[in-house]
Amino acid sequence: MENQVILVTGANGQIGTVLVQELRKVYGKDNVIASDINPSDLDGPFELLDITEPDNILSVIRQYRVTQIYHLAALLSSKGEVKPHLTWRINLSAYLDILELARQENIGRIFFPSTIGIYGPTTPKIDTPQHTSFEPKTVYGITKWTGELWGQYYKDRYGLDIRSIRYPGVISYQSIPEGGTTDYAVEMFFDAKLHGHYTCYLSAETRLPMIYMPDVISATLQLMDAPASDISLAMGYNIAGFSITPSELSEAITEHLPLFSIDYKPDERQKIADSWSDSIDDSRARKDWNWSPNYDLAAMTKDMLDNIDI
Ligand code: SER
């Protein structure tokens, strides 16, 4: 995978911030073009890019002779309910523009982040299979599910090499995510360190699939690096880290910070969380590209607390 020039959209987001640095270690700083609608102070090539302007995307692709695109720009589940039309434009219309540009400009490989948000009330909640019923209840879920379908369409019709993962809720210390439903987990760590207390917007027993950032990075790089012959899906691969409730996470934190306390005030995000799965069957990713996570709840908790420096 040498001589690649990679464009990352949404590079200032929770995953982009970390992924850009890791891609630069592999491909070289100057071969990874970070882009976002907001400025960045990271060292390395950066383009201010409004993802809803395809002409601007095209000029960046041509200027740098881009060979791969990671389309991370997105609004997440909770914010998506506040701004449904903008969410459609960013998450889906912009992705369609990118697929079309990729076809015209012969881009070799595309990464599309999907999510547990594509699951809905008719999806089996325990060990959610790779192929099952998808009737998402959020705009975010609708955009990501439709994006997966478009990816498969572009692969089947035009032969584009499209790769995608359905990320569980992502836990990381490098930034505090916003606009999602699983973000409570990151907030809990920061509030535990800062205030010794956290008020959780989900109920104590809400079980959701989560994953720690180092596993997100290794899954993404592993999938993007795998030989095309190993990849049997252009749609999102299910991957699982660990499934936890807010109460289990608070107990894990209390083992390190015995004075930590938590209370619960569920808000409108509870309904979103209730429509998602408890746990995921990721056997297809394990089989196709040898996926397996390194972090469980205990290992993640220790590493988060060691790294949050307040
Ligand atoms: N982290 C996302 C959210 O909560 C789910 O993929 O919206």
Side-chain angles (χ1 to χ4, degrees):
M1 299 297 290
E2 271 137 45
N3 303 323
Q4 300 296 335
V5 179
I6 297 173
L7 172 63
V8 179
T9 72
N12 293 351
Q14 184 191 16
I15 295 175
T17 319
V18 184
L19 186 63
V20 164
Q21 313 243 43
E22 296 301 320
L23 285 169
R24 285 184 172 156
K25 284 182 201 160
V26 179
Y27 295 95
K29 188 173 80 179
D30 292 338
N31 292 325
V32 180
I33 321 307
S35 71
D36 202 280
I37 194 155
N38 295 309
S40 155
D41 47 18
L42 275 186
D43 191 28
F46 179 84
E47 291 289 328
L48 264 187
L49 190 58
D50 178 349
I51 203 69
T52 64
E53 303 281 351
D55 290 348
N56 297 350
I57 307 174
L58 178 60
S59 52
V60 172
I61 289 174
R62 289 198 173 151
Q63 181 189 340
Y64 291 95
R65 298 173 189 269
V66 167
T67 62
Q68 292 191 1
I69 301 177
Y70 287 64
H71 178 47
L72 303 186
L75 295 187
L76 299 186
S77 57
S78 161
K79 192 149 184 195
E81 296 306 288
V82 182
K83 301 191 170 186
H85 292 268
L86 183 62
T87 303
W88 184 263
R89 285 222 299 281
I90 292 173
N91 294 12
L92 204 268
S93 305
Y95 180 49
L96 261 186
D97 289 337
I98 284 175
L99 288 173
E100 200 44 34
L101 292 172
R103 183 171 80 84
Q104 290 163 17
E105 301 294 309
N106 294 317
I107 302 291
R109 204 162 280 180
I110 309 272
F111 180 75
F112 179 68
S114 189
T115 163
I116 56 170
I118 68 165
Y119 308 144
T122 58
T123 307
K125 262 188 170 321
I126 312 289
D127 289 337
T128 299
Q130 177 68 43
H131 298 288
T132 182
S133 168
F134 299 103
E135 297 180 26
K137 288 290 174 193
T138 61
V139 176
Y140 174 63
I142 294 169
T143 61
K144 289 293 184 178
W145 174 232
T146 318
E148 284 197 26
L149 292 169
W150 272 112
Q152 184 70 55
Y153 181 86
Y154 266 77
K155 175 164 186 159
D156 294 344
R157 179 153 181 194
Y158 303 113
L160 278 191
D161 186 349
I162 298 177
R163 304 186 181 197
S164 175
I165 287 175
R166 295 171 185 158
Y167 291 128
V170 175
I171 301 178
S172 63
Y173 58 83
Q174 291 89 342
S175 61
I176 304 183
E178 356 174 291
T181 300
T182 58
D183 300 345
Y184 86 81
V186 179
E187 287 178 8
M188 196 189 298
F189 279 103
F190 277 85
D191 278 16
K193 276 256 174 160
L194 262 176
H195 311 297
H197 182 79
Y198 179 60
T199 299
C200 186
Y201 58 76
L202 297 182
S203 66
E205 303 310 326
T206 308
R207 185 169 300 284
L208 287 170
M210 298 280 184
I211 188 166
Y212 193 36
M213 185 61 90
D215 284 331
V216 167
I217 300 299
S218 57
T220 309
L221 297 183
Q222 236 176 307
L223 172 66
M224 285 298 275
D225 216 15
S229 53
D230 289 354
I231 304 301
S232 61
L233 297 172
M235 299 183 71
Y237 277 91
N238 277 2
I239 65 167
F242 42 87
S243 286
I244 52 167
T245 64
S247 147
E248 287 166 356
L249 181 57
S250 75
E251 279 163 27
I253 292 175
T254 309
E255 284 186 22
H256 299 266
L257 304 173
L259 298 180
F260 173 61
S261 63
I262 185 163
D263 65 349
Y264 299 92
K265 290 205 177 100
D267 66 15
E268 67 287 347
R269 286 168 280 192
Q270 183 67 47
K271 209 167 135 199
I272 298 177
D274 287 343
S275 74
W276 293 350
S277 296
D278 288 11
S279 59
I280 293 169
D281 173 0
D282 60 3
S283 47
R284 185 74 167 257
R286 288 174 183 266
K287 176 173 163 280
D288 279 7
W289 40 277
N290 292 323
W291 154 249
S292 75
N294 284 315
Y295 284 84
D296 60 10
L297 171 61
M300 175 279 295
T301 302
K302 181 174 181 326
D303 201 63
M304 281 289 284
L305 291 170
D306 285 349
N307 279 290
I308 296 176
D309 191 15
I310 304 183

